[in-house]
Amino acid sequence: MVEKSRIPPAQRQVQDFPVLHIGDIPKFDAKTWDFRIEGAVKNPLHLSWEEFLKLPKSLTISDFHCVTGWTRLDNRWEGVLFRDVTRLCNPKPEAHAVSVLCDGGYYTSLPLSGLMQDDVILAYQWNGLFLEPSHGKPLRLVVPPKYAYKSAKWVRKLRFTKIQEIGYWEARGYSNTADPWTEDRYGLQT
Ligand SMILES: Nc1nc2c(c(=O)[nH]1)N[C@H]1C(S)=C(S)[C@@H](COP(=O)(O)O)O[C@H]1N2
Ligand SMILES: [Mo]
């Protein structure tokens, strides 16, 4: 087992890679799949799967913490760093957050500053292989410093916004900041 300092409070380490999502796994067709960036950007982006694969590729190694209590360490994610794709779309000065929209209707959002960190990646490979459909094939976001409901699977669109929108789980009581180290699991209840 690994030193405790890498496991956030009340989390337990798992060796397998659980699958967790709501709804059905969307079908992927490389011919019709596309990826869009829109909203508060100077250069909206529209890429095919083939074009996406030609973007500069990076490798990150990071830990994955689900709010239900499991943590998987040392995942090797390969894909395009969020900040590399952001450079291409040239955000407007008023862009402070990004909504992440997925096939199947799931969505979440994060402050732009957090997404620009070194380990935030739009990943298409995990531990050397293209993603399994259940883990987000063809493309998912990985945001290691946040609970994994921010790591959206089946990503199709990023919308840059002035203020941070409220995502699927966030609208149902989960924290919009989602910091595993402070057990920031639940938003303020009314
Ligand atoms: N599109 C989509 N992405 C999602 C979810 C979802 O329901 N739909 N669930 C999130 C949650 S709560 C977790 S823990 C992780 C799980 O990722 P995994 O199934 O690859 O382990 O996906 C996240 N991304
Ligand atoms: Mo989760």
Side-chain angles (χ1 to χ4, degrees):
M1 296 300 264
V2 147
E3 67 286 18
K4 269 240 161 98
S5 59
R6 290 180 60 192
I7 315 285
Q11 294 289 110
R12 67 183 183 282
Q13 187 182 356
V14 297
Q15 304 294 339
D16 60 343
F17 192 9
V19 168
L20 203 74
H21 55 258
I22 40 132
D24 296 329
I25 297 172
K27 290 209 166 55
F28 166 59
D29 178 349
K31 287 193 212 75
T32 56
W33 186 91
D34 62 0
F35 174 80
R36 287 176 195 271
I37 297 186
E38 60 178 39
V41 294
K42 290 179 194 134
N43 310 319
L45 209 66
H46 186 201
L47 299 174
S48 67
W49 176 235
E50 211 176 309
E51 289 166 332
F52 195 92
L53 288 177
K54 288 184 185 145
L55 297 178
K57 189 178 181 184
S58 299
L59 164 71
T60 65
I61 300 176
S62 60
D63 303 339
F64 197 83
H65 313 293
C66 172
V67 74
T68 62
W70 53 270
T71 285
R72 191 182 198 289
L73 301 177
D74 292 323
N75 300 281
R76 299 170 63 88
W77 299 105
E78 287 170 90
V80 183
L81 291 182
F82 184 92
R83 66 168 175 226
D84 287 342
V85 95
T86 295
R87 259 187 219 117
L88 301 174
C89 70
N90 209 351
K92 292 183 178 169
E94 66 265 29
H96 291 305
V98 180
S99 295
V100 186
L101 310 172
C102 307
D103 265 340
Y106 188 80
Y107 57 105
T108 187
S109 73
L110 291 125
L112 179 55
S113 55
L115 289 166
M116 298 299 276
Q117 305 305 309
D118 291 348
D119 53 358
V120 177
I121 189 165
L122 284 158
Y124 48 78
Q125 289 174 330
W126 176 82
N127 287 1
L129 299 170
F130 280 96
L131 293 177
E132 292 293 330
S134 61
H135 286 298
K137 179 181 178 168
L139 189 70
R140 78 176 303 164
L141 180 66
V142 179
V143 189
K146 301 294 184 185
Y147 282 123
Y149 57 88
K150 297 289 186 181
S151 290
K153 304 193 274 194
W154 312 298
V155 172
R156 290 291 293 274
K157 193 187 283 189
L158 303 177
R159 185 166 63 228
F160 284 60
T161 60
K162 289 184 192 171
I163 55 164
Q164 191 179 355
E165 296 176 337
I166 301 298
Y168 180 89
W169 282 122
E170 295 87 337
R172 289 160 178 78
Y174 285 91
S175 166
N176 202 17
T177 39
D179 172 16
W181 298 99
T182 57
E183 279 202 76
D184 174 21
R185 295 171 198 270
Y186 306 107
L188 294 175
Q189 308 291 325
T190 49

